[in-house]
Amino acid sequence: MAPSAVRSRINPLTPRALGEDEILQTIEDFGTAAALAREAGYDGVEVMGSEGYFLNQFTAARTNQRTDSWGGSAENRRRLPVEVVGRVRKRCGPDFIIAYRISVLDLVEGGNSWPDVAALAKDVEASGANILNTGIGWHESRVPTIAHMVPRGAFTWAIKRLKAEVAIPVVASNRINTPEQAEQLIAHGQADMVSLARPLLADPDFVAKAASGASSKINTCIGCNQACLDNAFTGRLTTCMVNPAACREVEFKIVPATRGKCIAVLGGGPAGLACAVTAAERGHKVALFEADIDIGGQFNLARRIPGKEDYAETIRYFRNRLDELGVEVHCGRPASLADLESGGFDEIVVATGVRPRHLDVPGADHPSVMTYVEAITDTARVGAEVAIVGAGGIGFDVATLLSHPHGPHDPSHPDIEGFSSEWGIDLSYTQPGALLPANHQWSSSRKIHLLQRKPRASFGASLSKTRGWANFLEVMFRGVTMTGDVTYRKIDDAGLHIEAGGKPQTLKVDTIVVCAGQESADDALSLARSLGKPVHAIGGVDKPQQLDAVRAIEDGMRLALSL
Ligand code: SF4
């Protein structure tokens, strides 16, 4: 049911328009639900009026096409939320907290104008709300609002503007993931409070750590959506990539080991780090060996992708934990037989991850060919015209990096103007929904062809359910051409020879970046097994196919809980 029979583009069903009697009953139901909450001991409730949900649908002309007293003028359209807040106040008394979550920016065509939003804020305040929480963007908005490419604090300009309209406290939300940023928003008068959700999945001790001045110990939410929203929208349990224990606290409880063992962990990527930290938390003596000069593994690549800079925070978190727990960390060379023999280890964990799979076509050793690791870590070597072979998550990451005019940025100095201008957010808020006319031609630093063997229609299908669309649009708006049904024939001085849809062609490119999957980097397995001790393989060493950090970190933690 909805104000009018208007189907959302993200919902397969067309709703039925509510009758007048049903609207009145709905107001009553909000009041009853709040009264029950009070009876159950709650100090307050939040009335959800944002993100394109029911009350927000009434306020926007886009979805409210009614001609009765609940639609038409902006005043009629905001009548329902105002009456709901009033009924909750009446049913729950004057000393009950009512927060109203208002949609500050709808970010959809036909969304509310700034005067409509300001008037709604004033009316719900007059109707009895004590606090205004703020929501940004409808679910069907084509502007990302919480995913990793959204700069920290991207929408606080609008929240500050709302704060000037009302006397009650205004709460900032969306992509606030550090206490320092929250503190700054309040100190600079941009908001009175902040609300966090995902950061508390990533670290349930966020508040305690912030309050005790230990913010560097916080396991930071990196905006990936991969285990929280992706799971929620596919019917799976909401949890967190960087904290697999979220919502599974009993299953992942850290129980002291019955016998302290000496454990060697080979590989300092996400799986190895999670395993080493959890094993040490259980009381085992742990040594971690990483062949690279630093810990981080695939996260050291991810943090170089524009929009994924926060992945460095996970490395910082693990580094601090290793240090606090006294884990011996050896970086810069793989563990040798002598290391493993002299360490007196009871068990060995091999978490050495994956290596890029080579392309099996004639000319694959041509100087123009690079692995994705080489392209990400040495962009200066990449030419002006590039073919990316493989359009999975890594192919899209490489396309994002190589097409981006500036590369990764410092997340503590977010480029909010640049982000807003590219995604069409109207910082002056003169347009309905704060949406500027679409700009689908972003600047790009290279000409890029993204290729895959699968059909064109499946481009982006392997990306995150709740943010993959934004990754796809970023690459498309930077002019990356996407070609499916590709057969790779050969590589020579003329470029990459392919057949696309059965038609032969030569892409005259300077660089060919291979993102054609990964294989297990399992060289250390036979070394570990030669010692005759129990050996465990986790993460990409165990199963390189469809490896992602959610599985890698969970694998590491699960194994450590069983040691
Ligand atoms: Fe944050 Fe990713 Fe964890 Fe979700 S899964 S809470 S976005 S770190």
Side-chain angles (χ1 to χ4, degrees):
M1 291 182 285
S4 306
V6 178
R7 191 176 69 83
S8 158
R9 64 180 166 220
I10 59 167
N11 196 322
L13 304 174
T14 301
R16 170 173 73 73
L18 281 172
E20 167 95 16
D21 55 336
E22 290 172 311
I23 293 177
L24 297 174
Q25 184 60 49
T26 300
I27 297 169
E28 203 53 51
D29 291 345
F30 268 98
T32 302
L36 289 171
R38 175 162 196 155
E39 203 179 315
Y42 288 93
D43 300 311
V45 292
E46 179 168 278
V47 176
M48 179 53 164
S50 65
E51 269 86 7
Y53 288 114
F54 181 71
L55 296 180
N56 202 178
Q57 290 163 16
F58 265 83
T59 65
R62 170 192 181 83
T63 38
N64 185 344
Q65 297 168 0
R66 302 179 73 94
T67 51
D68 59 8
S69 58
W70 304 96
S73 68
E75 195 178 353
N76 277 0
R77 283 187 271 116
R78 60 179 176 266
R79 204 173 135 209
L80 178 61
V82 171
E83 296 223 359
V84 164
V85 170
R87 187 61 50 97
V88 171
R89 174 58 69 214
K90 195 162 168 216
R91 293 284 303 271
C92 298
D95 59 342
F96 189 68
I97 301 169
I98 304 173
Y100 182 79
R101 186 161 166 113
I102 190 169
S103 179
V104 186
L105 306 170
D106 289 335
L107 298 178
V108 286
E109 302 81 6
N112 282 292
S113 66
W114 171 248
D116 293 350
V117 172
L120 173 63
K122 287 188 173 109
D123 284 0
V124 294
E125 179 183 23
S127 193
N130 305 102
I131 295 172
L132 276 185
N133 195 358
T134 54
I136 306 290
W138 290 30
H139 284 311
E140 57 260 60
S141 168
R142 277 294 167 249
V143 178
T145 55
I146 57 167
H148 60 223
M149 69 280 287
V150 178
R152 293 179 186 174
F155 307 104
T156 49
W157 61 272
I159 293 155
K160 184 180 178 189
R161 196 164 159 173
L162 186 73
K163 188 168 142 41
E165 298 287 336
V166 290
I168 53 176
V170 173
V171 185
S173 65
N174 284 59
R175 279 296 273 147
I176 299 165
N177 63 349
T178 68
E180 291 76 16
Q181 186 200 357
E183 173 69 19
Q184 203 181 22
L185 287 175
I186 294 169
H188 290 182
Q190 289 168 296
D192 299 295
M193 300 164 72
V194 290
S195 76
L196 313 172
R198 293 176 303 166
L200 305 180
L201 286 175
D203 194 334
D205 296 325
F206 181 104
V207 174
K209 288 176 184 175
S212 64
S215 67
S216 66
K217 295 182 182 174
I218 288 174
N219 195 1
T220 303
C221 167
I222 57 177
C224 66
N225 287 3
Q226 279 174 248
C228 54
L229 287 165
D230 281 3
N231 281 12
F233 279 86
T234 48
R236 290 173 290 165
L237 182 77
T238 297
T239 178
C240 173
M241 178 162 89
V242 299
N243 175 25
C247 304
R248 298 184 285 187
E249 288 79 5
V250 174
E251 191 182 346
F252 283 85
K253 190 164 183 221
I254 306 289
V255 177
T258 44
R259 180 173 75 84
K261 296 178 194 165
C262 197
I263 312 278
V265 177
L266 313 188
L273 289 169
C275 183
V277 164
T278 309
E281 284 170 342
R282 296 190 61 222
H284 296 304
K285 185 171 180 320
V286 182
L288 178 76
F289 296 87
E290 167 55 49
D292 211 337
I293 53 165
D294 197 6
I295 59 168
Q298 297 286 318
F299 272 33
N300 258 328
L301 298 178
R303 71 179 174 80
R304 297 168 198 259
I305 308 300
K308 286 191 164 180
E309 296 86 350
D310 271 347
Y311 280 60
E313 300 288 355
T314 306
I315 302 175
R316 182 261 309 146
Y317 165 76
F318 276 120
R319 193 190 310 285
N320 286 347
R321 284 304 282 151
L322 293 172
D323 194 38
E324 283 168 349
L325 292 160
V327 173
E328 261 181 45
V329 179
H330 306 271
C331 286
R333 62 174 178 81
S336 66
L337 187 60
D339 292 325
L340 298 183
E341 281 176 340
S342 64
F345 298 111
D346 299 304
E347 303 197 22
I348 301 167
V349 179
V350 181
T352 40
V354 291
R355 63 170 77 92
R357 192 185 294 142
H358 288 287
L359 192 60
D360 189 17
V361 300
D365 56 353
H366 190 271
S368 62
V369 178
M370 296 174 87
T371 65
Y372 65 82
V373 177
E374 292 166 332
I376 292 173
T377 54
D378 193 3
T379 49
R381 269 184 58 208
V382 179
E385 185 158 351
V386 183
I388 298 173
V389 173
I394 294 175
F396 269 89
D397 273 357
V398 170
T400 303
L401 171 66
L402 297 183
S403 63
H404 199 283
H406 312 301
H409 66 274
D410 173 0
S412 58
H413 294 95
D415 178 13
I416 292 168
E417 275 190 25
F419 168 79
S420 303
S421 137
E422 287 191 329
W423 285 101
I425 302 165
D426 175 17
L427 292 174
S428 66
Y429 213 154
T430 52
Q431 301 293 319
L435 212 54
L436 292 168
N439 164 24
H440 295 168
Q441 289 183 328
W442 299 3
S443 63
S444 172
S445 53
R446 292 181 177 85
K447 182 163 171 39
I448 296 177
H449 308 267
L450 186 56
L451 311 170
Q452 67 173 19
R453 291 184 204 271
K454 291 181 194 156
R456 171 79 173 77
S458 68
F459 261 94
S462 63
L463 302 176
S464 150
K465 168 106 182 151
T466 56
R467 68 162 162 77
W469 60 271
N471 297 119
F472 183 92
L473 291 181
E474 274 184 319
V475 162
M476 191 173 83
F477 292 165
R478 291 210 192 281
V480 172
T481 59
M482 300 185 208
T483 310
D485 274 323
V486 173
T487 306
Y488 306 102
R489 289 299 178 208
K490 65 173 177 177
I491 296 163
D492 58 22
D493 290 346
L496 173 62
H497 301 261
I498 62 170
E499 268 180 41
K503 289 194 190 127
Q505 54 176 291
T506 302
L507 299 174
K508 296 185 178 74
V509 292
D510 310 297
T511 307
I512 296 153
V513 183
V514 180
C515 307
Q518 301 160 313
E519 55 193 30
S520 166
D522 57 3
D523 307 346
L525 259 182
S526 50
L527 178 78
R529 284 179 180 143
S530 70
L531 276 102
K533 304 277 170 134
V535 173
H536 312 271
I538 58 172
V541 173
D542 182 32
K543 286 192 209 96
Q545 301 82 12
Q546 270 113 43
L547 177 68
D548 68 16
V550 176
R551 174 156 67 81
I553 293 177
E554 189 171 326
D555 267 14
M557 203 169 166
R558 277 191 193 282
L559 175 68
L561 289 172
S562 71
L563 291 172

